[in-house]
Amino acid sequence: MLESYVTPILMSYVNRYIKNLKPSDLQLSLWGGDVVLSKLELKLDVLEQELKLPFTFLSGHIHELRIHVPWTKLGSEPVVITINTMECILKLKDGIQDDHESCGSNSTNRSTTENTKSSVKPRRIQQAAPTDPDLPPGYVQSLIRRVVNNVNIVINNLILKYVEDDIVLSVNITSAECYTVGELWDRAFMDISATDLVLRKVINFSDCTVCLDKRNASGKIEFYQDPLLYKCSFRTRLHFTYDNLNSKMPSVIKIHTLVESLKLSITDQQLPMFIRIMQLGIALYYGEIGNFKDGETEDPTCHSKDMLGNITGVEDETRIDMQYPAQYKGQELYSQQEDEQPQGWVSWAWSFVPAIVSYDDNEEDFLGNDPTSAMHQQKAQTLKDPIVSIGFYCTKATVTFKLTEMQAESSYYSPQKVKSKEVLCWEQEGTTVEALMMGEPFFDCQIGFVGCRAMCLKGIMGVKDFEENMNRSETEACFFICGENLSMKGLTYLTNSLFDYRSPENNGTRAEFILDAAHHKETYTEIAGMQRFGAFYMDYLYTMENISGKGSANQQDFSSGKSEDMGVVQEKSTKSLVIGPVDFRLDSSAVHRILKMIVCALEHEYEPYSGLKPDIKDENETTLNPEEVASLEEYIPTRHTSITLLKCTCTIFMAEFNLLDHLLPVIMGEKNSSNFMNTTNFQSLRPLPSIQILVDKINLEHSVPMYAEQLVHVVSNLTQPSDNLLHYCYAHCYLKIFGFQAGLTSLDCRGSYCLPVPIIPSFSTALYVKLLKLPTCWTKRSQIAITEGIFELPNLTIQATRAQTLLLQAIYQSWSHIGNVNSLSVNEALMNEVFQTIGVKSKNPLPTLEGSIQNVELKYCSTSLVKCASGTMGSIKICAKAPGDSGKEKLIPLLQGPSDTKDLHSSKWLNESRKPESLLAPDLIAFTVQVPQYMDYCHNSGAVLLCSVQGLAVNIDPVLYTWLIYQPQKRTSRHTQQQPVVAVPLVVPISRRKEDEVSVGSAPLAKQQSYQASEYASSPIKTKTITDYKGEKTPEKHCFWFP
C-alpha cells in the first residue's frame, strides 16, 4: 500500500518538530486523509540545532496544523500542509558564554555535540514497511519524489518576534503559500523528467507588516510606534536544476524575490533601534558576537577571521596552517568545524542549503536503499558544490523619516498618544541585490539601483519651511538626485533574473555563470554596472583558489577541515563601488533635516555588540625559518576597496535659517537638548546665492591585509623583514580628485539658476596615506613608520572680484552666525554686481584678483619617536585683471616667485620683458620640520627646521587699493534678469596667449575679458612622481596637464 511508504515520511517530519505527539493517533488520522492538530508546542532545541541560528527560541507554538493527503489522487494532486497562527519569540544567544564555553574543551564539545545530534534525530517509527509485489521499488521512489516535489505549504498568520534590551521587533505575515508551478510560473502538478530536469516553485507573501517598538523595564510597550513596513506583499520564485533524475542535490539553485512597492517608515525613536538591528546583522555577518570578555583576549583557535562573512574557521586555519605554521596553528584544527562554532552568515546560509532542497536521510531508509551506496553517493556529490543564486528586486522603495511628539487626550486620565510628522523622504527605483556562490571558495554580491532622490517634507524644529500653505515646488523640496528615471532606463535591473522574460530559465535553456575571478572582472566592469543601473553599483567578489593542491579549490571539500589534503590557498577580496551623476543641494532645510537624523541616531545608550580587541603583543614569539618566510612572501591575501564618484555637483546655499547651535553640540558629544522648537516665521529668500562645486571624478582606493593581526605578529618578530612584507602590514589609502571647480550662482523665485561665476577653475589633486596595523607590536622598532602621507597639487588658481568675496563672506556668515538669517539679507547692488546680465556691459567694471600656486607637494611621516613633515611649492603668482582703454582688459602682476632679484633695485629689471620660469627652475619654497613625538623626551630627539626660499618679487599697484575699498552701491538701472542655465561649465575656455606676450612691469598688457585663469597664472608646471608603495617598489608617475 502507498500509505505504508508515504505515512512514515510525513510522520517523521511532524514528530521531529512538535512535542508530545502520539505516533499511533497521528498515523490513524493520517490514513483517513486529513489530520487536524491544535495547540502544538514546537521543539525549540531541535529548531535551534537544525537551523544553527545565532538566536535562542524563547517560545514557539502552532495554534492549528492541518495535513491533507489525497490518497486516491496522490499522483496528480498535492499534499497540502496548512498552519494557522504560528508564533515564535527569539532573542540573541549569550554569545560570550557560548563562544568561550565552546572553545574550552574540544573533546568535551565533540562528545556533547554528538550526543545532541543523536538526541535531535527523530525516533524512527518502529514499523517495517511491507513489501508489495505490485509496487516495484522504482515506481515507489518515483512516486515519493513526485509527492515531495509537489507539497503545498500554507501558513496563515505567521508571527515572529525578536526581543533585546528595550527593542521589540515583530514580523507579521498574514498569509504565505508555497506551491509548485510550470514553465509559465502558473500553479501546476510537476515533476522532473529526463527531458526537463527542472523544478520550479513559487512562494507568495501577503500583507507583511514589520513593527519596531520600545518596551519599558517591566517588558511592556507603552507607546506603539508606526509600523516600519505595513501590509507589503511580494513573491519569490525558486528554480532548481538537476544533473540527472537520481540527483539528491540540485546543481543550480535560484531564489529570486520581487517587491513592486516597498514603503518604509522610521520615526526618531525607531531610528536608534533600527541602527541597532543593522549593527546586529553586521556583527553576525562578521562573526563578532560575543568574542571577548572583560580582561580576556581572543583565542585564535576559537574565532574565525571572516572575510566579509565568507571565511569560516576552516578557511582561516587552513591558510594559517600553510603560511603561518609556527605562529598560530590550533592543536586540533578539525575541532573548529563543530556546528556550534561562530561563523559568518554566508557560511551558515551555505550549510543550510542542503536542508531546504534535499530529502531527509531517513527517506532512503524508508525506501529500503543501501546505506553504504547512499553514503558513497553523498560523498561523490559533495565534490561538486551547487551554484546558488539569490536575488532581491524592488521596483520602487520609499523610506520616510518622521519626528514624534507626545499628545495628551482631553481627559486627564486618558493615555498619551504619539503624533508623528513626516520631515524627510527617500525614494529609490530599480533596486537589485544579487548574490552568487558556489561553495565557500566563490562568492559574489552585486547591489545597484537605477535612480534615487531625497525630499524635504513639512517642517523641522518649528520652522514651517515646507508646509502645505507654503506652495513651494517639488524641485525646491528635492535636495538629492542621483541616477536616472526608471521609466527611461527600462527594466535593466531585472536582467537575467527569474522575473526577466529574456532570462535563460524562462526560455528553456540552462543559464551560464561566470565563476572565474579574471573573467568576472572583465565582464562586470564599472562601465557595465553603470549601464545596467545608472545611479549606484557595487560588486563584491571573494575567491579562494588552491594553487598546488589536488585539483582546483572549487572541487575541494572545504568543510572537512583537513588541511593536509589541500595546497596553498590564495584568497582574494575586491569591492568596487561606483556612484553615478549626483546633484546635492545643501540648503537650510536639507542640512537641518540631515543633522536632526544624526542627532536622533545618537540618542541611545546601547552597548556595542563586540568590544574592541585589546592590542597586546603575543608573548610567545616564534621565529620562522627561511623556507616559511619565503612561503609567506609568495602571497598575502588582502581586501581591496575602490570607490568612484562620477559627475558630482554640490550646491551650498546661503542659510535661510540657522538652528545649528541646538544640533551640533549633541553630535559633538556635549549634553544639550535637541527638542528645541523655533517660533519665528519662515520666509523664503529669493534670489538665493550659493556656492556650486563640480567634480568630474573622485576615486578612493583602500587596501588592508585580510588577516592583519596574524601577519603583524609574524612579521614583527622577523629580524629583517623585507619591504614586501612591511608593505602588507599597512593599510593603504589613495584619493584622487579630477576636474574640481567651484563658482557662485543664484537661485531665483522660479527655481532657475543664473550663469555660474567661476571662482576656482578646474584642477586635480592626489593624496596618499598609509597606516601601520597594530602599532604596539612595533615598539622595539623605532625606525618603522607608523603613518605616512603624500599630498600633490599640480596647479590651483583662485580668481574673484571684491564683490564676489563679499558674497562668499555673506554665505559663510549665514552658517556661522546663529540666529535669524533674514537680517543678513544680501545687498541687491551686490547681487547685481556679481551676477551681471548677459550682453550688458557694466559702466564701472571691477578689477579681479587672480592667484595661482603650482607644484605643491607635502609629505608627512611619524614614528614612535618623532613626527616629520616636508614640502615644496614650485611657484606662486598673483595678478590683477583691470579694465583698460578701449574696453580691453589689462593684466597687472602683483607677486611672482621664484624670481631672480639680483637686479631688482635697477630700473632695467622693471622695464625688461621676461618669459615665465622654465620647468627646471628651483622650487620657491622647500622646508622640512621634525619634532619629537613626546615633548618630555625632547632631549633625546631634538626638533629640526630647515627652510629654503627663492627670490620673490612684489609689485604694489593702485589697483589693489581699488579692489580692497569696494563697497556695493545701489544702482538706478533695472533689476538684473537672471538667465536659467542647465549644466553650464564654470570655466569658459579661450585661446591661450603666447608665453612671450606676458610681461612683468608697470606697463600692463591689454587682454580680452575671460573667465579662464590668465596665462600669467597658468605657466607650465612640473611633472611630479608619487611612489605607489607596492611590494616591488616600482615608482608610478602621475602627470597632470591642464589647458
Side-chain angles (χ1 to χ4, degrees):
M1 298 294 291
L2 290 176
E3 293 85 346
S4 302
Y5 295 94
V6 178
T7 300
I9 297 178
L10 298 177
M11 292 174 62
S12 65
Y13 279 104
V14 175
N15 189 48
R16 178 185 302 180
Y17 301 108
I18 297 177
K19 292 181 180 180
N20 303 326
L21 280 182
K22 295 181 180 180
S24 58
D25 297 340
L26 179 62
Q27 185 174 357
L28 292 175
S29 301
L30 195 60
W31 284 359
D34 292 281
V35 176
V36 179
L37 304 174
S38 301
K39 298 181 179 179
L40 304 176
E41 294 291 333
L42 297 176
K43 294 181 179 179
L44 304 181
D45 54 345
V46 177
L47 292 176
E48 294 178 10
Q49 183 66 28
E50 293 198 357
L51 295 179
K52 304 188 183 87
L53 288 172
F55 303 102
T56 299
F57 286 88
L58 297 180
S59 65
H61 63 271
I62 296 176
H63 179 71
E64 184 182 70
L65 173 64
R66 292 178 175 268
I67 302 177
H68 172 70
V69 183
W71 294 111
T72 58
K73 300 179 180 180
L74 199 58
S76 59
E77 291 185 5
V79 175
V80 181
I81 300 175
T82 305
I83 299 175
N84 295 321
T85 308
M86 178 178 177
E87 182 176 1
C88 295
I89 301 178
L90 304 90
K91 76 167 187 176
L92 188 65
K93 283 183 179 179
D94 188 4
I96 296 179
Q97 180 179 0
D98 294 343
D99 289 349
H100 285 273
E101 286 180 356
S102 63
C103 297
S105 174
N106 294 327
S107 59
T108 305
N109 288 336
R110 286 195 299 274
S111 61
T112 304
T113 304
E114 293 173 359
N115 295 335
T116 305
K117 288 184 178 180
S118 61
S119 63
V120 168
K121 277 286 187 179
R123 292 178 296 175
R124 185 172 303 175
I125 307 299
Q126 299 299 328
Q127 177 179 356
T131 58
D132 193 334
D134 297 332
L135 298 177
Y139 170 77
V140 174
Q141 185 174 3
S142 175
L143 181 62
I144 294 299
R145 186 178 62 244
R146 288 173 60 87
V147 171
V148 174
N149 289 341
N150 290 275
V151 171
N152 286 10
I153 300 177
V154 180
I155 301 178
N156 297 317
N157 195 18
L158 173 62
I159 303 173
L160 300 176
K161 292 184 179 181
Y162 170 75
V163 294
E164 179 195 353
D165 296 333
D166 59 349
I167 300 175
V168 179
L169 175 66
S170 60
V171 180
N172 189 351
I173 301 177
T174 303
S175 176
E177 183 179 7
C178 177
Y179 53 89
T180 306
V181 296
E183 294 182 359
L184 301 179
W185 301 99
D186 297 327
R187 190 188 297 265
F189 193 90
M190 303 294 295
D191 192 15
I192 60 175
S193 61
T195 57
D196 188 15
L197 299 172
V198 173
L199 182 65
R200 302 176 181 86
K201 287 182 177 292
V202 168
I203 306 177
N204 290 328
F205 298 89
S206 301
D207 296 344
C208 177
T209 301
V210 181
C211 298
L212 185 61
D213 300 290
K214 180 178 293 187
R215 60 178 182 174
N216 55 22
S218 60
K220 296 182 179 180
I221 301 175
E222 298 180 354
F223 309 106
Y224 286 94
Q225 303 287 329
D226 294 342
L228 286 179
L229 182 65
Y230 183 68
K231 291 188 176 181
C232 177
S233 299
F234 51 94
R235 62 184 185 273
T236 300
R237 291 181 176 180
L238 298 89
H239 189 279
F240 306 104
T241 303
Y242 296 84
D243 289 334
N244 52 67
L245 292 176
N246 298 324
S247 298
K248 188 175 180 181
M249 169 73 70
S251 59
V252 179
I253 303 171
K254 268 196 170 185
I255 305 175
H256 292 176
T257 301
L258 176 63
V259 183
E260 295 291 344
S261 178
L262 185 68
K263 297 182 179 180
L264 298 176
S265 171
I266 302 178
T267 64
D268 52 352
Q269 298 184 18
Q270 290 174 332
L271 185 60
M273 297 185 289
F274 182 76
I275 296 177
R276 178 71 170 175
I277 297 297
M278 295 182 62
Q279 292 175 346
L280 170 64
I282 295 175
L284 292 174
Y285 190 78
Y286 281 88
E288 296 176 348
I289 293 294
N291 291 330
F292 308 102
K293 288 182 180 179
D294 295 337
E296 292 186 359
T297 58
E298 178 192 20
D299 185 0
T301 62
C302 299
H303 177 59
S304 73
K305 284 289 182 185
D306 112 77
M307 204 342 280
L308 282 182
N310 299 304
I311 307 170
T312 55
V314 56
E315 302 159 21
D316 192 7
E317 294 300 330
T318 299
R319 192 193 62 79
I320 291 171
D321 183 71
M322 300 307 300
Q323 299 193 14
Y324 310 131
Q327 183 68 15
Y328 27 72
K329 282 199 297 183
Q331 297 295 328
E332 299 178 55
L333 289 177
Y334 67 90
S335 66
Q336 300 234 358
Q337 306 311 312
E338 300 300 336
D339 295 334
E340 71 273 9
Q341 299 297 327
Q343 58 179 351
W345 269 18
V346 173
S347 302
W348 166 81
W350 183 256
S351 66
F352 191 57
V353 165
I356 64 176
V357 297
S358 63
Y359 310 127
D360 186 73
D361 295 337
N362 293 330
E363 295 177 20
E364 304 291 344
D365 299 334
F366 289 128
L367 297 177
N369 288 351
D370 185 8
T372 306
S373 61
M375 180 180 62
H376 286 296
Q377 181 181 5
Q378 184 178 3
K379 287 185 177 180
Q381 290 180 355
T382 55
L383 295 177
K384 184 178 180 181
D385 294 315
I387 301 173
V388 179
S389 173
I390 302 175
F392 173 82
Y393 308 90
C394 180
T395 304
K396 184 175 182 179
T398 304
V399 181
T400 304
F401 178 67
K402 302 178 180 179
L403 295 179
T404 58
E405 58 182 7
M406 306 305 299
Q407 187 177 21
E409 295 293 327
S410 57
S411 174
Y412 177 78
Y413 298 99
S414 300
Q416 290 183 333
K417 292 185 178 181
V418 178
K419 181 182 178 181
S420 60
K421 180 177 63 174
E422 301 175 350
V423 296
L424 190 64
C425 178
W426 175 276
E427 296 180 356
Q428 189 169 300
E429 292 183 324
T431 304
T432 297
V433 180
E434 294 177 335
L436 178 65
M437 64 185 80
M438 189 178 72
E440 292 179 351
F442 183 89
F443 177 81
D444 176 67
C445 179
Q446 297 185 14
I447 302 175
F449 52 83
V450 174
C452 64
R453 65 174 185 171
M455 301 176 60
C456 299
L457 303 176
K458 297 187 177 180
I460 181 74
M461 299 177 67
V463 180
K464 300 180 179 180
D465 51 349
F466 282 97
E467 296 291 344
E468 296 178 357
N469 56 358
M470 294 296 295
N471 297 324
R472 303 187 67 178
S473 63
E474 183 177 345
T475 305
E476 294 180 289
C478 183
F479 65 89
F480 182 86
I481 301 176
C482 181
E484 307 176 31
N485 195 332
L486 185 61
S487 59
M488 302 293 294
K489 190 72 173 178
L491 301 179
T492 55
Y493 71 101
L494 294 176
T495 301
N496 289 332
S497 70
L498 296 179
F499 299 95
D500 181 13
Y501 69 92
R502 299 165 298 181
S503 65
E505 292 83 0
N506 291 331
N507 290 275
T509 59
R510 186 161 182 169
E512 297 181 358
F513 300 92
I514 299 176
L515 302 174
D516 178 69
H519 191 194
H520 178 91
K521 294 180 180 179
E522 294 177 357
T523 305
Y524 299 102
T525 60
E526 296 180 355
I527 298 177
M530 295 306 294
Q531 288 178 349
R532 178 183 178 185
F533 298 104
F536 175 82
Y537 172 69
M538 187 202 79
D539 181 27
Y540 164 66
L541 176 65
Y542 168 80
T543 57
M544 180 191 299
E545 182 181 0
N546 181 16
I547 61 173
S548 60
K550 300 176 182 179
S552 63
N554 292 338
Q555 297 177 353
Q556 294 289 336
D557 184 8
F558 281 88
S559 61
S560 64
K562 298 180 180 180
S563 58
E564 62 269 16
D565 295 337
M566 297 185 297
V568 177
V569 175
Q570 292 186 355
E571 302 173 67
K572 298 180 181 179
S573 170
T574 57
K575 292 184 289 295
S576 176
L577 291 87
V578 187
I579 304 174
V582 175
D583 187 3
F584 197 14
R585 299 176 32 165
L586 289 175
D587 54 8
S588 295
S589 301
V591 170
H592 283 78
R593 282 167 171 80
I594 295 173
L595 295 181
K596 182 63 177 178
M597 287 187 61
I598 297 176
V599 168
C600 295
L602 295 177
E603 290 182 342
H604 66 83
E605 297 180 355
Y606 299 124
E607 295 293 334
Y609 282 108
S610 57
L612 295 176
K613 188 166 184 178
D615 192 5
I616 301 177
K617 187 174 181 179
D618 189 7
E619 297 180 356
N620 299 324
E621 298 181 357
T622 304
T623 303
L624 301 184
N625 57 46
E627 291 77 10
E628 293 171 335
V629 174
S631 175
L632 179 62
E633 290 201 28
E634 289 182 0
Y635 186 83
I636 298 178
T638 59
R639 289 198 288 257
H640 184 268
T641 303
S642 175
I643 302 175
T644 304
L645 183 63
L646 303 174
K647 299 295 182 182
C648 177
T649 301
C650 181
T651 307
I652 304 174
F653 291 89
M654 173 178 284
E656 298 176 273
F657 62 92
N658 191 344
L659 304 175
L660 299 183
D661 57 331
H662 301 280
L663 298 175
L664 293 179
V666 181
I667 298 177
M668 300 303 295
E670 302 175 7
K671 299 297 182 179
N672 198 345
S673 174
S674 61
N675 297 323
F676 172 80
M677 301 298 289
N678 184 43
T679 57
T680 59
N681 295 327
F682 171 78
Q683 294 182 357
S684 179
L685 178 62
R686 294 294 184 274
L688 185 63
S690 61
I691 303 173
Q692 191 174 75
I693 301 174
L694 277 70
V695 183
D696 290 339
K697 181 179 180 181
I698 299 177
N699 180 253
L700 175 63
E701 296 183 2
H702 180 266
S703 64
V704 65
M706 191 176 295
Y707 305 97
E709 180 186 357
Q710 292 91 334
L711 178 65
V712 169
H713 279 298
V714 170
V715 178
S716 61
N717 291 330
L718 297 178
T719 305
Q720 292 181 348
S722 64
D723 294 340
N724 183 41
L725 293 179
L726 289 177
H727 168 80
Y728 286 101
C729 292
Y730 287 85
H732 303 266
C733 183
Y734 204 167
L735 175 65
K736 301 177 184 178
I737 300 177
F738 301 95
F740 182 98
Q741 51 186 326
L744 286 170
T745 185
S746 178
L747 182 67
D748 60 14
C749 57
R750 296 172 299 177
S752 302
Y753 290 97
C754 70
L755 276 174
V757 178
I759 300 296
I760 303 178
S762 178
F763 74 95
S764 300
T765 183
L767 174 66
Y768 171 79
V769 177
K770 71 174 186 178
L771 303 174
L772 184 65
K773 306 296 293 184
L774 278 71
T776 55
C777 296
W778 307 87
T779 53
K780 296 181 180 180
R781 298 171 181 253
S782 59
Q783 74 279 7
I784 298 295
I786 299 177
T787 305
E788 285 191 19
I790 299 177
F791 172 75
E792 275 195 358
L793 181 62
N795 186 17
L796 174 63
T797 301
I798 301 177
Q799 56 187 13
T801 63
R802 181 57 176 163
Q804 295 170 3
T805 58
L806 291 177
L807 186 57
L808 289 172
Q809 183 180 358
I811 296 176
Y812 169 76
Q813 290 179 350
S814 68
W815 289 104
S816 60
H817 292 180
I818 307 301
N820 191 0
V821 190
N822 290 333
S823 60
L824 298 175
S825 58
V826 183
N827 190 300
E828 180 181 353
L830 181 62
M831 294 290 293
N832 293 335
E833 189 64 48
V834 174
F835 306 104
Q836 298 180 2
T837 307
I838 298 178
V840 179
K841 294 184 178 180
S842 176
K843 296 181 180 179
N844 298 313
L846 300 178
T848 301
L849 284 187
E850 181 179 285
S852 174
I853 57 175
Q854 297 179 358
N855 301 336
V856 176
E857 180 176 340
L858 301 176
K859 297 180 181 180
Y860 174 81
C861 178
S862 67
T863 65
S864 59
L865 298 179
V866 297
K867 294 183 290 185
C868 179
S870 64
T872 59
M873 183 171 66
S875 64
I876 181 172
K877 298 181 179 67
I878 299 178
C879 62
K881 293 187 291 185
D885 299 335
S886 303
K888 295 183 178 181
E889 189 179 60
K890 58 183 180 180
L891 188 63
I892 305 174
L894 301 177
L895 186 145
Q896 176 181 338
S899 179
D900 186 4
T901 59
K902 290 185 294 185
D903 299 329
L904 182 62
H905 60 281
S906 63
S907 59
K908 179 182 177 181
W909 190 91
L910 297 175
N911 295 327
E912 69 178 1
S913 177
R914 290 177 306 278
K915 296 182 180 181
E917 297 292 340
S918 65
L919 297 176
L920 300 179
D923 294 325
L924 174 64
I925 300 176
F927 71 93
T928 300
V929 179
Q930 176 178 303
V931 295
Q933 192 75 248
Y934 305 101
M935 298 304 296
D936 295 340
Y937 303 96
C938 60
H939 59 276
N940 294 330
S941 57
V944 177
L945 172 62
L946 301 176
C947 185
S948 173
V949 181
Q950 299 296 320
L952 191 66
V954 179
N955 176 31
I956 301 177
D957 194 275
V959 70
L960 181 60
Y961 177 76
T962 305
W963 189 89
L964 291 173
I965 65 171
Y966 165 80
Q967 291 295 332
Q969 298 179 358
K970 294 185 178 181
R971 297 182 180 181
T972 57
S973 60
R974 60 179 183 178
H975 297 306
T976 301
Q977 296 180 358
Q978 300 178 2
Q979 304 293 331
V981 178
V982 179
V984 178
L986 296 180
V987 178
V988 181
I990 63 170
S991 59
R992 299 176 61 94
R993 297 176 56 89
K994 297 181 179 180
E995 292 183 358
D996 56 359
E997 293 179 357
V998 180
S999 65
V1000 179
S1002 59
L1005 295 177
K1007 187 177 180 181
Q1008 297 294 333
Q1009 184 177 3
S1010 171
Y1011 288 132
Q1012 176 71 23
S1014 68
E1015 186 70 17
Y1016 180 81
S1018 303
S1019 59
I1021 61 176
K1022 300 179 182 179
T1023 300
K1024 291 296 181 180
T1025 301
I1026 293 182
T1027 303
D1028 202 17
Y1029 288 91
K1030 294 184 179 180
E1032 296 77 14
K1033 291 295 179 180
T1034 302
E1036 181 179 353
K1037 182 173 293 185
H1038 301 272
C1039 301
F1040 301 88
W1041 294 96
F1042 306 96

